[in-house]
Amino acid sequence: MASSVSKISAGPSLDKVVHDLELDLVLGRIRPRERLIEDELILRFGAKRHVVRSALTELERRGLIERRQNKGARVREFSREEVEALYEFRDDLHQLAVSRMALPLSDEVVAELVKISNAHEAAWAKGELALVIEQNNRFHNMLFDQCGNPFLAETIQRMASATNAIRSYRIGDPDLLKLAVQEHRQMIDAARACDRQQLALLCRQHILPSRDLYLRDQISWIHFSSAAPS
């Protein structure tokens, strides 16, 4: 008779831990300056210590957290100058991608963008924020893939990921999420109508609310810190 051997769970994979922590960032569950404590993450995920450490290393590589000797890891806080430079770079990348797109987009690409946009709107209507993020990323990845340069498209994705903590500020505002849904529709219309100038303008405007909210919050934090008794 075969002996029954109980299977011991190996715990979540590195990719799973990284994905969930990145989702926490973009959903605003963890905010800039907030510490990420290894022991707490081990308990939360039921993961091995080396998996948690590797996940923190990967998040640091992506520019989402920072680690200091004897102080552990915390969500990265961007200075005003860094935010402005990062968003200027993102805008330059988006404008370059739009300039390289073969417009009008094919019927197949437009149909897929419409499908994703519908899923994004449905997730927004239901308040399913994790799905909102997923569909939003799918939409922009699909759109910027049309630039025909995989290196440019990949760089755009990496820069969007690097701003997850900043993008989280838009997620917390239902009106701005509704605006994002509308802007996706407008982008599709512009791409279908071969209106490159309008598409470029929409891509520029689309990323600004997160930036502005983050900078406003940072100013409030600086004011609070300076006013607090030492």
Side-chain angles (χ1 to χ4, degrees):
M1 182 177 63
S3 60
S4 60
V5 180
S6 61
K7 295 182 179 180
I8 301 175
S9 174
S13 67
L14 171 61
D15 288 345
K16 171 65 173 172
V17 176
V18 170
H19 172 270
D20 285 359
L21 286 175
E22 195 165 11
L23 186 61
D24 283 347
L25 283 169
V26 76
L27 285 176
R29 294 170 180 159
I30 50 179
R31 290 290 195 179
R33 300 178 294 271
E34 188 169 338
R35 291 185 62 204
L36 299 175
I37 301 171
E38 277 188 17
D39 289 343
E40 293 180 358
L41 296 176
I42 289 170
L43 288 174
R44 171 187 167 184
F45 290 107
K48 302 293 185 182
R49 188 173 297 276
H50 74 273
V51 172
V52 168
R53 286 181 175 174
S54 295
L56 293 176
T57 297
E58 175 60 20
L59 292 174
E60 183 180 28
R61 185 190 70 80
R62 297 184 187 185
L64 297 172
I65 69 170
E66 53 189 4
R67 290 195 287 185
R68 299 178 182 178
Q69 189 173 5
N70 300 323
K71 292 187 177 181
R74 70 172 190 173
V75 180
R76 181 176 178 181
E77 178 185 21
F78 293 93
S79 69
R80 184 179 191 88
E81 292 74 21
E82 288 173 329
V83 172
E84 290 175 346
L86 183 54
Y87 272 75
E88 181 180 356
F89 183 46
R90 289 187 69 199
D91 179 50
D92 288 344
L93 291 172
H94 293 176
Q95 300 305 306
L96 178 59
V98 171
S99 74
R100 295 177 59 90
M101 290 179 186
L103 298 181
L105 298 180
S106 69
D107 291 342
E108 293 78 10
V109 170
V110 169
E112 184 62 21
L113 287 172
V114 169
K115 180 180 177 181
I116 297 171
S117 181
N118 288 340
H120 178 251
E121 183 173 9
W124 165 76
K126 295 177 182 178
E128 298 176 348
L129 296 184
L131 192 55
V132 167
I133 294 165
E134 178 185 336
Q135 298 303 331
N136 178 75
N137 290 341
R138 284 186 63 208
F139 181 89
H140 290 288
N141 292 346
M142 182 74 182
L143 177 64
F144 291 122
D145 277 347
Q146 306 316 306
C147 72
N149 185 318
F151 298 102
L152 174 56
E154 181 184 359
T155 302
I156 289 174
Q157 289 184 33
R158 286 195 290 107
M159 290 301 99
S161 178
T163 60
N164 273 343
I166 301 173
R167 293 163 67 197
S168 69
Y169 284 73
R170 183 171 196 159
I171 293 296
D173 190 317
D175 291 335
L176 289 180
L177 284 183
K178 182 178 181 180
L179 177 61
V181 169
Q182 296 170 347
E183 288 173 341
H184 285 181
R185 301 290 190 191
Q186 293 167 357
M187 289 177 191
I188 294 171
D189 290 342
R192 182 189 280 129
C194 203
D195 191 339
R196 196 181 306 275
Q197 183 176 358
Q198 178 65 8
L199 179 57
L201 178 61
L202 287 166
C203 289
R204 169 168 287 149
Q205 294 175 340
H206 192 65
I207 63 175
L208 296 182
S210 298
R211 181 203 67 178
D212 295 343
L213 284 174
Y214 183 90
L215 291 176
R216 187 178 68 187
D217 179 77
Q218 186 185 59
I219 292 172
S220 298
W221 171 259
I222 292 172
H223 176 76
F224 172 79
S225 298
S226 62
S230 56

